[in-house]
Each structure stands twice: as C-alpha cells, then as structure tokens.
Amino acid sequence: MTPDHTARHRQRPSPTTPRPENTRVPERTAPPRPHTIDPRPFRPVTSGRRFERGDTVDVSGGNGKPRPDEDHPAEHPPVPPTPNPEHDPEHGPDHDRATPGRPGPADTEDRTEHEHRSLAHAGIARTDPPPERPKEPGGGILMGRPFGVPVYVAPSWFLVAALITWVFGGQLDRVLPELGALRYLVSLFFAVAFYASVLVHELAHTIAALRFKLPVRRIQLQFFGGVSEIEKEAETPGREFVLAFVGPLLSLVLAGLFYLALKPVQPGTVPGVLLAGLMVSNLIVAIFNLLPGLPLDGGRMLRAVVWKITGKPMTGTVAAAWVGRALAVSVLIGLPLLNQSGALGGDQDISGMDTVTDALLAAILAAIIWTGAGNSLRMARLREHLPDLRARTLTRRAVPVQTDTPLSEGLRRANAAGARALVVVDADGTPLSLVREAAIVGVPEHRRPWVAVSELAQDLTDGMRVSAELSGEELLDTLRATPATEYLVIEDTGEIYGVLSAADVERAFVKAMARPS
C-alpha cells in the first residue's frame, strides 16, 4: 500500500463511471519529497568554480521531470572563465565578487591543474570517514618544557644510545679491564651525558630565538644529535648569524669546562675517561656544526653573511644549501679515507668490518646533510612565496541555504551560481554551520532529495571564522591554531565572503614550494 499522501497522484475513475474489472492502477514506488525553496533571492557571496559537467544533481523531486516553477538547467550554459580580477584593468579585484556566475581569483591559477572534482564526484565512499587534517606528531617522549618549549626524545635516540654504549664500552675494556660488565653501565652514563650536552647546545639556539621574539615549536633529540624547530626566520642577517653561532659556541664552552674539570682528575680512572670523552665529543660537535653548509649552524652563518652582502636572504640560502650538498659528497668520500689513513686517530691496519662500518657511517651523515640542505632550500622558497598566498584568492564561492534545505536543492543552487560550497544560515541570514565536502560526496545521488543540509554540516566555532585579508604566515598560523577541514571567510564588515578549504591551502603551499624563485 502506498501512503495516503500519494493517492492524489493516481488516476482515479470518475464517480459516475465504474472501474473495469481486472484493471490495476499503477502506483509509484517511492513518493518524492518536495524541495524546500529559500524565498530569499540568491546572492553569491564570493568567487568560485562551477561544478563540472555531469555533476548537476537531479532536481526533479524524483519523478524525472523538471519542476514547473524552475528553468531547465540546459537553458543556462556554463559561464566561461574569466581572467583573474586582480589583473582586470576594468573592474579590479572586488568586481568579481559582486557579479553572479563569474569565477573568481580562486579559479585562475591554482585551480586549473589539480582541478577539484565536484562535490558530487570526489570519489569518497559513503562509509569512509571525513578526512581530518593530520595531527602534528609530538616527536617522541616528552622530557620537559624548559623555557616553555617542549623537549622530546625521538625513538631513534635509543638506537644511537645503544650504539654509543657498545662502542664506548669496548674502549673502556681496553683502558679499564677491571670494570668487567660494569663498563656498559658507565658507557650508558656517557651516552646520556653526551646527549645532555647536545640538549644544552639546542637550548642555546632556543634562548636566542626567544630573545629575538621567534617562536620555537619544540626541541627534539634524535639520531646524530638534536634540532630546535624555530617557526620563523630571523628578521636581519645579524640576528641570523647570532642565532646560529650560539650553539657551537656553547659546545666549545662545554668542551673547555670538561677540560678544566679533567685537570685535577687522575688519568686512567672512570671519572677521567668520562670527562675526556665528553670533552672530545663536545669539541667534535662544535667543529662539525661550524662547517659552512646547510643544515649545519655554519651553513646558517654562511647564509647570514651572503644575505648581508647581497641584501637577499634567498641568495644566501641558495649558496649555503649548495655548499651543504658539496659538503655531503665530501663526507661520503673523505670520511672513510681519513679514517683508513689514521688521520682521525684510528689504526691504519683495520679489518674489513671496520671499513664497512666507516662507509655506512659516512653514508648516513652525508644523507642527513644532503637532505637537510634540500629541505632548507624548499622552506626558504616557501617563505619567499608565502605573501602571494592569500585567503581572498583561495576562497571558494558559497551559497547560503537554510537548515531544512534538501541537499539536492543546495547543490542545484550551487551549480546555478558557479559555487563550490554551502553555508547553512538561519532565517536572518546569520551563518550557523558549514556543509562538509566529505559528507556531501558520501551521500548517494538518489538519497540527496531526502537529506537536509543540516545533517551534513559542522557547527561554526570562533576559530573557524577567518578574515579575508589574511595571507602568508599569518594565514598559516590562524589555520594551525584551529584545525578544521573548512573555514568561513568573512570581510572586515562581517559580511560572508565564502568558504576556505584546508585542502586548497595545503595544495597552494605545496605548489609554492615547487615554484622557482
């Protein structure tokens, strides 16, 4: 039996005419749900791209025929794209937003290559959870927060600590054979003390960065040393030089302190061996970091010098990065040769296993330096292009819909307006939530007339409202403070400008990193 409210669609016989026998009246299998039409006229709120051909949803209400109060979509061909309005001498950057149907700045440069498939055909299964922005890894075991900066020990540190314990234990067995198995406990203490001095080295960078008002994300002790993750570049080459030099300087100071502490200690004892090892290790750390190539501290000092001479920080970065790559090749070839020749204090007659170990160590060091130089170059290129990335040009055009609007009707309006986002508003036009793109593509097309947009929306929080004037690092910091998949972009006057997708920002950043300087 069909519901009573569909009975009016059946062709009933006249009251005066008997129905023929064995005559069956066809019935519809599923009643259409009438669309809820927003009585207010549509006004596009920002720039965006039309859905691609084939993405327009069925707005017939389930009967396969166009509604009598609507125009057929075929009568409205897509509006051809226009150049970026910022380069339009007649209208300027703000003309596009007030013109319905015209694609805006978000559709000109960064949108043509990857181009967004429509919300209806993004290829996400219905049962797949909505994608979330990846959480930033902590970096290992949290050891503390000196000066408010978290210090993590990476899992790779335990591998290096075990290697140091084994190698230094073998040396102790030759110097102090009476220790026996206790030599490994002494060696473990040396490994911990060595990384404590590395932590002091990194704290020197951190204190200098905080002194210059530069935020430090974290300190991480990891394979072959540590790293201080400073989120912003120094404003002047002088500050850059100081920021890089304080680390090796403090390692030299530690080496001097261990040398002074070694003076009154009797040689050939456990304290004497430990102090001598810490003195030598800190001296090696200082000298190694002073090598003039990125990502080492000496490379940052070289970058500061070239920056000061040329007045261009990117020129200094390129020079220091290529010197770092040359340094990586030199370490790969030269370190095993120096060790075999005895120049580093080793025996000239070494076994084949020692040769393999030296080559492996040199390869690891060279890979770290080469990769770090390349990463420094890419990050510098990204920072150089960050000012070109603006929320206004990355924002998608959006259409306002009320909470009870069916999804099919919302997508129809978006297609008609050339928009790619839906903003749920109340009766007064105040934005309440954003319809998530991942939720839209998870709804099959035949179900969309029965699903209200409010069922797919994410409530707006204060952090999800961003200014259209944000750009560069300020935009990145704002999005990082409140992770979300979509953000509502508003004008300074409070007017809705559109919806900013975190995926669009990430793609723009990746493209900026690959863009030549």
Side-chain angles (χ1 to χ4, degrees), residues 421-484:
L422 301 175
V423 178
V424 180
V425 299
D426 60 12
D428 298 328
T430 303
L432 302 175
S433 56
L434 301 178
V435 181
R436 295 177 292 115
E437 180 179 3
I440 292 176
V441 298
V443 179
E445 191 166 337
H446 68 278
R447 287 283 305 157
R448 290 171 183 172
W450 282 265
V451 177
V453 292
S454 59
E455 299 178 19
L456 311 176
Q458 180 180 6
D459 292 338
L460 285 170
T461 61
D462 291 338
M464 293 174 62
R465 292 178 170 88
V466 301
S467 171
E469 304 302 327
L470 290 179
S471 63
E473 292 191 28
E474 186 180 5
L475 172 62
L476 181 60
D477 294 340
T478 301
L479 301 189
R480 184 185 298 155
T482 307

Short mmCIF file of all heavy atoms in Angstrom, two decimals, residues 421-484:
data_model
loop_
_atom_site.label_atom_id
_atom_site.label_comp_id
_atom_site.label_asym_id
_atom_site.label_seq_id
_atom_site.Cartn_x
_atom_site.Cartn_y
_atom_site.Cartn_z
N ALA A 421 30.61 25.59 -2.46
CA ALA A 421 30.46 25.42 -1.03
C ALA A 421 29.07 25.87 -0.61
O ALA A 421 28.43 26.68 -1.28
CB ALA A 421 31.53 26.22 -0.27
N LEU A 422 28.61 25.31 0.53
CA LEU A 422 27.30 25.63 1.07
C LEU A 422 27.46 26.11 2.51
O LEU A 422 28.16 25.48 3.31
CB LEU A 422 26.38 24.40 1.05
CG LEU A 422 26.11 23.76 -0.32
CD1 LEU A 422 25.30 22.49 -0.15
CD2 LEU A 422 25.39 24.73 -1.23
N VAL A 423 26.81 27.24 2.82
CA VAL A 423 26.82 27.80 4.17
C VAL A 423 25.40 27.75 4.70
O VAL A 423 24.48 28.30 4.07
CB VAL A 423 27.35 29.25 4.19
CG1 VAL A 423 27.31 29.81 5.60
CG2 VAL A 423 28.76 29.30 3.64
N VAL A 424 25.19 27.09 5.82
CA VAL A 424 23.87 27.00 6.44
C VAL A 424 23.64 28.26 7.26
O VAL A 424 24.45 28.61 8.13
CB VAL A 424 23.77 25.75 7.33
CG1 VAL A 424 22.38 25.66 7.96
CG2 VAL A 424 24.04 24.49 6.50
N VAL A 425 22.52 28.94 6.99
CA VAL A 425 22.18 30.19 7.67
C VAL A 425 20.80 30.06 8.29
O VAL A 425 20.01 29.19 7.92
CB VAL A 425 22.23 31.38 6.69
CG1 VAL A 425 23.62 31.56 6.11
CG2 VAL A 425 21.21 31.19 5.56
N ASP A 426 20.52 30.96 9.25
CA ASP A 426 19.19 30.99 9.84
C ASP A 426 18.28 31.91 9.03
O ASP A 426 18.67 32.40 7.95
CB ASP A 426 19.27 31.41 11.31
CG ASP A 426 19.87 32.81 11.49
OD1 ASP A 426 20.02 33.53 10.48
OD2 ASP A 426 20.21 33.15 12.63
N ALA A 427 17.10 32.18 9.56
CA ALA A 427 16.13 32.99 8.82
C ALA A 427 16.62 34.42 8.62
O ALA A 427 16.20 35.09 7.67
CB ALA A 427 14.79 32.99 9.56
N ASP A 428 17.51 34.89 9.48
CA ASP A 428 18.05 36.25 9.36
C ASP A 428 19.31 36.31 8.51
O ASP A 428 19.89 37.39 8.35
CB ASP A 428 18.34 36.82 10.74
CG ASP A 428 17.08 36.93 11.59
OD1 ASP A 428 16.02 37.17 11.00
OD2 ASP A 428 17.18 36.76 12.82
N GLY A 429 19.76 35.17 7.99
CA GLY A 429 20.97 35.15 7.18
C GLY A 429 22.25 35.02 7.97
O GLY A 429 23.34 35.14 7.41
N THR A 430 22.16 34.75 9.26
CA THR A 430 23.36 34.57 10.10
C THR A 430 23.93 33.18 9.87
O THR A 430 23.20 32.18 9.99
CB THR A 430 23.02 34.77 11.58
OG1 THR A 430 22.44 36.06 11.77
CG2 THR A 430 24.26 34.63 12.44
N PRO A 431 25.21 33.05 9.55
CA PRO A 431 25.78 31.72 9.31
C PRO A 431 25.80 30.87 10.58
O PRO A 431 26.19 31.35 11.65
CB PRO A 431 27.19 32.03 8.81
CG PRO A 431 27.50 33.39 9.31
CD PRO A 431 26.20 34.12 9.36
N LEU A 432 25.39 29.63 10.45
CA LEU A 432 25.34 28.70 11.57
C LEU A 432 26.38 27.60 11.46
O LEU A 432 27.00 27.22 12.45
CB LEU A 432 23.95 28.07 11.68
CG LEU A 432 22.76 29.02 11.84
CD1 LEU A 432 21.47 28.24 11.81
CD2 LEU A 432 22.89 29.82 13.13
N SER A 433 26.57 27.08 10.27
CA SER A 433 27.46 25.94 10.08
C SER A 433 27.88 25.86 8.62
O SER A 433 27.34 26.56 7.77
CB SER A 433 26.78 24.63 10.53
OG SER A 433 25.56 24.46 9.82
N LEU A 434 28.85 24.97 8.36
CA LEU A 434 29.36 24.73 7.02
C LEU A 434 29.09 23.30 6.63
O LEU A 434 29.31 22.37 7.42
CB LEU A 434 30.87 25.00 6.95
CG LEU A 434 31.34 26.41 7.33
CD1 LEU A 434 32.85 26.48 7.25
CD2 LEU A 434 30.72 27.44 6.41
N VAL A 435 28.58 23.10 5.42
CA VAL A 435 28.33 21.76 4.93
C VAL A 435 29.67 21.16 4.48
O VAL A 435 30.35 21.71 3.62
CB VAL A 435 27.34 21.77 3.76
CG1 VAL A 435 27.07 20.36 3.26
CG2 VAL A 435 26.03 22.42 4.19
N ARG A 436 30.04 20.05 5.10
CA ARG A 436 31.34 19.45 4.83
C ARG A 436 31.36 18.77 3.46
O ARG A 436 30.46 18.01 3.12
CB ARG A 436 31.69 18.44 5.92
CG ARG A 436 31.88 19.07 7.29
CD ARG A 436 32.15 18.03 8.36
NE ARG A 436 30.97 17.19 8.59
CZ ARG A 436 30.93 15.89 8.34
NH1 ARG A 436 31.96 15.28 7.81
NH2 ARG A 436 29.84 15.21 8.59
N GLU A 437 32.41 19.04 2.71
CA GLU A 437 32.52 18.46 1.37
C GLU A 437 32.59 16.95 1.43
O GLU A 437 31.99 16.25 0.62
CB GLU A 437 33.76 19.03 0.68
CG GLU A 437 33.97 18.48 -0.73
CD GLU A 437 35.20 19.08 -1.39
OE1 GLU A 437 35.90 19.87 -0.72
OE2 GLU A 437 35.45 18.75 -2.55
N ALA A 438 33.34 16.42 2.40
CA ALA A 438 33.47 14.97 2.51
C ALA A 438 32.13 14.31 2.81
O ALA A 438 31.86 13.19 2.35
CB ALA A 438 34.48 14.62 3.60
N ALA A 439 31.28 14.99 3.58
CA ALA A 439 29.97 14.42 3.87
C ALA A 439 29.06 14.45 2.65
O ALA A 439 28.25 13.55 2.45
CB ALA A 439 29.32 15.19 5.02
N ILE A 440 29.20 15.48 1.81
CA ILE A 440 28.37 15.58 0.61
C ILE A 440 28.65 14.43 -0.34
O ILE A 440 27.74 13.76 -0.83
CB ILE A 440 28.60 16.93 -0.09
CG1 ILE A 440 28.06 18.07 0.76
CG2 ILE A 440 27.93 16.94 -1.47
CD1 ILE A 440 28.32 19.44 0.17
N VAL A 441 29.92 14.18 -0.61
CA VAL A 441 30.26 13.15 -1.59
C VAL A 441 29.97 11.77 -1.04
O VAL A 441 29.93 10.79 -1.80
CB VAL A 441 31.75 13.26 -1.98
CG1 VAL A 441 32.02 14.58 -2.64
CG2 VAL A 441 32.65 13.07 -0.78
N GLY A 442 29.74 11.65 0.26
CA GLY A 442 29.39 10.35 0.83
C GLY A 442 27.92 10.02 0.72
O GLY A 442 27.52 8.92 1.09
N VAL A 443 27.10 10.95 0.25
CA VAL A 443 25.66 10.70 0.11
C VAL A 443 25.36 10.31 -1.33
O VAL A 443 25.64 11.08 -2.25
CB VAL A 443 24.85 11.95 0.51
CG1 VAL A 443 23.35 11.69 0.34
CG2 VAL A 443 25.16 12.35 1.94
N PRO A 444 24.79 9.13 -1.58
CA PRO A 444 24.45 8.74 -2.97
C PRO A 444 23.48 9.74 -3.58
O PRO A 444 22.67 10.37 -2.89
CB PRO A 444 23.81 7.36 -2.80
CG PRO A 444 24.30 6.85 -1.49
CD PRO A 444 24.47 8.06 -0.62
N GLU A 445 23.54 9.86 -4.89
CA GLU A 445 22.75 10.88 -5.57
C GLU A 445 21.26 10.67 -5.40
O GLU A 445 20.50 11.63 -5.25
CB GLU A 445 23.12 10.89 -7.06
CG GLU A 445 22.56 12.08 -7.81
CD GLU A 445 23.22 12.24 -9.17
OE1 GLU A 445 24.35 11.74 -9.35
OE2 GLU A 445 22.59 12.87 -10.04
N HIS A 446 20.81 9.41 -5.36
CA HIS A 446 19.38 9.18 -5.23
C HIS A 446 18.86 9.47 -3.83
O HIS A 446 17.65 9.57 -3.61
CB HIS A 446 19.05 7.73 -5.60
CG HIS A 446 19.59 6.72 -4.61
ND1 HIS A 446 20.89 6.27 -4.64
CD2 HIS A 446 19.00 6.11 -3.54
CE1 HIS A 446 21.09 5.40 -3.66
NE2 HIS A 446 19.96 5.29 -2.98
N ARG A 447 19.75 9.65 -2.85
CA ARG A 447 19.33 9.95 -1.50
C ARG A 447 19.33 11.45 -1.21
O ARG A 447 18.79 11.89 -0.19
CB ARG A 447 20.28 9.27 -0.51
CG ARG A 447 20.12 7.78 -0.40
CD ARG A 447 18.91 7.43 0.42
NE ARG A 447 18.98 8.06 1.74
CZ ARG A 447 17.92 8.31 2.50
NH1 ARG A 447 16.71 8.01 2.04
NH2 ARG A 447 18.06 8.87 3.68
N ARG A 448 19.90 12.25 -2.07
CA ARG A 448 20.09 13.66 -1.77
C ARG A 448 18.79 14.46 -1.63
O ARG A 448 18.76 15.40 -0.84
CB ARG A 448 21.00 14.29 -2.83
CG ARG A 448 22.42 13.78 -2.69
CD ARG A 448 23.32 14.19 -3.82
NE ARG A 448 24.64 13.59 -3.62
CZ ARG A 448 25.62 13.62 -4.51
NH1 ARG A 448 25.43 14.23 -5.66
NH2 ARG A 448 26.77 13.04 -4.25
N PRO A 449 17.72 14.13 -2.34
CA PRO A 449 16.47 14.89 -2.10
C PRO A 449 15.89 14.64 -0.72
O PRO A 449 15.04 15.40 -0.26
CB PRO A 449 15.54 14.37 -3.21
CG PRO A 449 16.44 13.85 -4.27
CD PRO A 449 17.62 13.29 -3.55
N TRP A 450 16.32 13.58 -0.03
CA TRP A 450 15.76 13.24 1.28
C TRP A 450 16.69 13.63 2.43
O TRP A 450 16.35 13.38 3.58
CB TRP A 450 15.48 11.74 1.35
CG TRP A 450 14.23 11.35 0.64
CD1 TRP A 450 12.99 11.18 1.17
CD2 TRP A 450 14.09 11.08 -0.75
NE1 TRP A 450 12.09 10.83 0.22
CE2 TRP A 450 12.74 10.74 -0.99
CE3 TRP A 450 14.98 11.08 -1.83
CZ2 TRP A 450 12.25 10.44 -2.25
CZ3 TRP A 450 14.50 10.75 -3.08
CH2 TRP A 450 13.15 10.45 -3.28
N VAL A 451 17.83 14.20 2.15
CA VAL A 451 18.81 14.55 3.19
C VAL A 451 18.88 16.06 3.29
O VAL A 451 19.16 16.75 2.30
CB VAL A 451 20.19 13.96 2.87
CG1 VAL A 451 21.21 14.39 3.92
CG2 VAL A 451 20.11 12.44 2.81
N ALA A 452 18.66 16.59 4.48
CA ALA A 452 18.77 18.03 4.71
C ALA A 452 20.24 18.42 4.88
O ALA A 452 21.06 17.65 5.38
CB ALA A 452 17.98 18.44 5.95
N VAL A 453 20.57 19.62 4.46
CA VAL A 453 21.96 20.07 4.53
C VAL A 453 22.45 20.15 5.98
O VAL A 453 23.63 19.99 6.25
CB VAL A 453 22.12 21.44 3.84
CG1 VAL A 453 21.91 21.31 2.35
CG2 VAL A 453 21.17 22.47 4.44
N SER A 454 21.53 20.39 6.92
CA SER A 454 21.94 20.50 8.32
C SER A 454 22.49 19.19 8.85
O SER A 454 23.29 19.20 9.81
CB SER A 454 20.75 20.95 9.18
OG SER A 454 19.67 20.02 9.07
N GLU A 455 22.10 18.06 8.25
CA GLU A 455 22.60 16.77 8.70
C GLU A 455 24.07 16.57 8.32
O GLU A 455 24.73 15.68 8.87
CB GLU A 455 21.76 15.65 8.11
CG GLU A 455 20.29 15.71 8.51
CD GLU A 455 19.48 14.60 7.86
OE1 GLU A 455 20.10 13.60 7.40
OE2 GLU A 455 18.25 14.71 7.80
N LEU A 456 24.58 17.34 7.38
CA LEU A 456 25.95 17.18 6.90
C LEU A 456 26.84 18.35 7.31
O LEU A 456 27.98 18.43 6.86
CB LEU A 456 25.96 17.07 5.37
CG LEU A 456 24.97 16.08 4.75
CD1 LEU A 456 25.04 16.16 3.24
CD2 LEU A 456 25.27 14.66 5.22
N ALA A 457 26.32 19.22 8.16
CA ALA A 457 27.04 20.47 8.46
C ALA A 457 27.84 20.35 9.75
O ALA A 457 27.52 19.55 10.64
CB ALA A 457 26.06 21.64 8.56
N GLN A 458 28.88 21.15 9.84
CA GLN A 458 29.72 21.27 11.03
C GLN A 458 29.50 22.65 11.63
O GLN A 458 29.63 23.66 10.96
CB GLN A 458 31.20 21.07 10.68
CG GLN A 458 32.12 21.18 11.88
CD GLN A 458 33.58 20.98 11.49
OE1 GLN A 458 33.90 20.88 10.30
NE2 GLN A 458 34.46 20.93 12.47
N ASP A 459 29.17 22.67 12.92
CA ASP A 459 28.89 23.94 13.58
C ASP A 459 30.12 24.84 13.55
O ASP A 459 31.26 24.37 13.69
CB ASP A 459 28.46 23.70 15.02
CG ASP A 459 27.10 23.02 15.11
OD1 ASP A 459 26.35 23.12 14.12
OD2 ASP A 459 26.81 22.40 16.14
N LEU A 460 29.87 26.12 13.40
CA LEU A 460 30.96 27.10 13.35
C LEU A 460 31.43 27.45 14.75
O LEU A 460 30.63 27.66 15.66
CB LEU A 460 30.49 28.37 12.64
CG LEU A 460 30.37 28.30 11.12
CD1 LEU A 460 29.67 29.55 10.59
CD2 LEU A 460 31.74 28.17 10.49
N THR A 461 32.73 27.49 14.93
CA THR A 461 33.34 27.99 16.16
C THR A 461 34.07 29.29 15.83
O THR A 461 34.23 29.65 14.67
CB THR A 461 34.32 26.97 16.75
OG1 THR A 461 35.38 26.74 15.80
CG2 THR A 461 33.63 25.64 17.03
N ASP A 462 34.50 29.98 16.88
CA ASP A 462 35.17 31.25 16.65
C ASP A 462 36.43 31.07 15.80
O ASP A 462 36.75 31.90 14.96
CB ASP A 462 35.54 31.89 17.99
CG ASP A 462 34.30 32.35 18.75
OD1 ASP A 462 33.26 32.55 18.09
OD2 ASP A 462 34.37 32.48 19.98
N GLY A 463 37.16 29.97 16.03
CA GLY A 463 38.39 29.74 15.27
C GLY A 463 38.15 29.40 13.82
O GLY A 463 39.08 29.48 13.01
N MET A 464 36.92 29.01 13.46
CA MET A 464 36.61 28.67 12.08
C MET A 464 36.16 29.87 11.28
O MET A 464 35.82 29.73 10.10
CB MET A 464 35.53 27.58 12.05
CG MET A 464 36.00 26.25 12.60
SD MET A 464 34.66 25.03 12.71
CE MET A 464 34.20 24.86 10.98
N ARG A 465 36.13 31.05 11.88
CA ARG A 465 35.84 32.28 11.16
C ARG A 465 37.15 33.03 10.96
O ARG A 465 37.80 33.43 11.92
CB ARG A 465 34.86 33.15 11.95
CG ARG A 465 33.45 32.57 12.05
CD ARG A 465 32.57 33.48 12.89
NE ARG A 465 31.16 33.10 12.85
CZ ARG A 465 30.60 32.22 13.67
NH1 ARG A 465 31.35 31.65 14.61
NH2 ARG A 465 29.33 31.93 13.56
N VAL A 466 37.56 33.19 9.70
CA VAL A 466 38.83 33.83 9.39
C VAL A 466 38.58 35.04 8.51
O VAL A 466 37.59 35.12 7.78
CB VAL A 466 39.80 32.85 8.70
CG1 VAL A 466 40.08 31.64 9.58
CG2 VAL A 466 39.24 32.39 7.36
N SER A 467 39.50 35.97 8.59
CA SER A 467 39.38 37.21 7.82
C SER A 467 39.83 36.98 6.38
O SER A 467 40.77 36.24 6.11
CB SER A 467 40.23 38.31 8.46
OG SER A 467 40.30 39.45 7.62
N ALA A 468 39.17 37.65 5.48
CA ALA A 468 39.53 37.56 4.06
C ALA A 468 40.86 38.24 3.78
O ALA A 468 41.44 38.03 2.70
CB ALA A 468 38.44 38.17 3.19
N GLU A 469 41.36 39.03 4.70
CA GLU A 469 42.61 39.76 4.48
C GLU A 469 43.84 38.98 4.94
O GLU A 469 44.96 39.46 4.77
CB GLU A 469 42.56 41.10 5.22
CG GLU A 469 41.38 41.98 4.84
CD GLU A 469 41.35 42.29 3.36
OE1 GLU A 469 42.44 42.41 2.76
OE2 GLU A 469 40.25 42.42 2.80
N LEU A 470 43.67 37.79 5.50
CA LEU A 470 44.82 37.02 5.96
C LEU A 470 45.64 36.53 4.78
O LEU A 470 45.11 36.20 3.71
CB LEU A 470 44.35 35.81 6.79
CG LEU A 470 43.74 36.10 8.16
CD1 LEU A 470 43.33 34.80 8.82
CD2 LEU A 470 44.74 36.85 9.03
N SER A 471 46.96 36.46 4.99
CA SER A 471 47.85 35.97 3.94
C SER A 471 49.14 35.49 4.59
O SER A 471 49.44 35.82 5.74
CB SER A 471 48.16 37.06 2.91
OG SER A 471 48.85 38.15 3.53
N GLY A 472 49.89 34.69 3.84
CA GLY A 472 51.22 34.27 4.26
C GLY A 472 51.23 33.50 5.56
O GLY A 472 50.36 32.67 5.85
N GLU A 473 52.26 33.77 6.38
CA GLU A 473 52.43 33.05 7.64
C GLU A 473 51.29 33.33 8.60
O GLU A 473 50.94 32.48 9.43
CB GLU A 473 53.77 33.41 8.27
CG GLU A 473 54.97 32.91 7.49
CD GLU A 473 56.27 33.05 8.27
OE1 GLU A 473 56.22 33.02 9.51
OE2 GLU A 473 57.32 33.21 7.64
N GLU A 474 50.70 34.50 8.54
CA GLU A 474 49.58 34.82 9.42
C GLU A 474 48.39 33.91 9.11
O GLU A 474 47.71 33.44 10.03
CB GLU A 474 49.17 36.28 9.24
CG GLU A 474 48.10 36.75 10.22
CD GLU A 474 47.73 38.20 10.02
OE1 GLU A 474 48.23 38.82 9.06
OE2 GLU A 474 46.93 38.70 10.82
N LEU A 475 48.15 33.64 7.84
CA LEU A 475 47.09 32.71 7.46
C LEU A 475 47.40 31.31 7.96
O LEU A 475 46.54 30.62 8.52
CB LEU A 475 46.92 32.72 5.94
CG LEU A 475 45.98 31.66 5.35
CD1 LEU A 475 44.56 31.84 5.86
CD2 LEU A 475 46.01 31.72 3.82
N LEU A 476 48.64 30.87 7.79
CA LEU A 476 49.03 29.54 8.22
C LEU A 476 48.90 29.39 9.73
O LEU A 476 48.41 28.37 10.23
CB LEU A 476 50.47 29.26 7.79
CG LEU A 476 51.06 27.89 8.14
CD1 LEU A 476 50.25 26.79 7.49
CD2 LEU A 476 52.50 27.80 7.73
N ASP A 477 49.32 30.39 10.47
CA ASP A 477 49.23 30.33 11.93
C ASP A 477 47.78 30.28 12.39
O ASP A 477 47.43 29.59 13.35
CB ASP A 477 49.94 31.53 12.55
CG ASP A 477 51.44 31.50 12.32
OD1 ASP A 477 51.97 30.41 12.04
OD2 ASP A 477 52.08 32.57 12.41
N THR A 478 46.90 31.02 11.72
CA THR A 478 45.49 31.04 12.09
C THR A 478 44.85 29.67 11.87
O THR A 478 44.09 29.18 12.72
CB THR A 478 44.75 32.11 11.28
OG1 THR A 478 45.34 33.39 11.54
CG2 THR A 478 43.28 32.15 11.67
N LEU A 479 45.14 29.04 10.74
CA LEU A 479 44.57 27.72 10.47
C LEU A 479 45.16 26.67 11.40
O LEU A 479 44.47 25.72 11.79
CB LEU A 479 44.82 27.34 9.00
CG LEU A 479 44.26 28.29 7.94
CD1 LEU A 479 44.39 27.66 6.56
CD2 LEU A 479 42.81 28.65 8.23
N ARG A 480 46.43 26.80 11.73
CA ARG A 480 47.06 25.84 12.62
C ARG A 480 46.49 25.92 14.03
O ARG A 480 46.40 24.91 14.74
CB ARG A 480 48.57 26.08 12.66
CG ARG A 480 49.34 25.06 13.50
CD ARG A 480 50.79 25.46 13.59
NE ARG A 480 51.39 25.46 12.27
CZ ARG A 480 52.46 26.20 11.96
NH1 ARG A 480 53.00 27.00 12.85
NH2 ARG A 480 52.98 26.13 10.75
N ALA A 481 46.04 27.11 14.45
CA ALA A 481 45.51 27.27 15.80
C ALA A 481 44.18 26.53 15.97
O ALA A 481 43.87 26.06 17.07
CB ALA A 481 45.33 28.76 16.11
N THR A 482 43.39 26.42 14.90
CA THR A 482 42.10 25.72 14.95
C THR A 482 42.01 24.77 13.77
O THR A 482 41.53 25.14 12.70
CB THR A 482 40.92 26.72 14.91
OG1 THR A 482 41.10 27.70 15.94
CG2 THR A 482 39.60 26.00 15.12
N PRO A 483 42.50 23.53 13.91
CA PRO A 483 42.44 22.59 12.78
C PRO A 483 41.00 22.26 12.39
O PRO A 483 40.16 21.97 13.23
CB PRO A 483 43.16 21.34 13.34
CG PRO A 483 43.97 21.84 14.49
CD PRO A 483 43.20 22.98 15.07
N ALA A 484 40.72 22.37 11.12
CA ALA A 484 39.40 22.05 10.57
C ALA A 484 39.55 21.79 9.08
O ALA A 484 40.61 22.06 8.50
CB ALA A 484 38.40 23.19 10.83
#
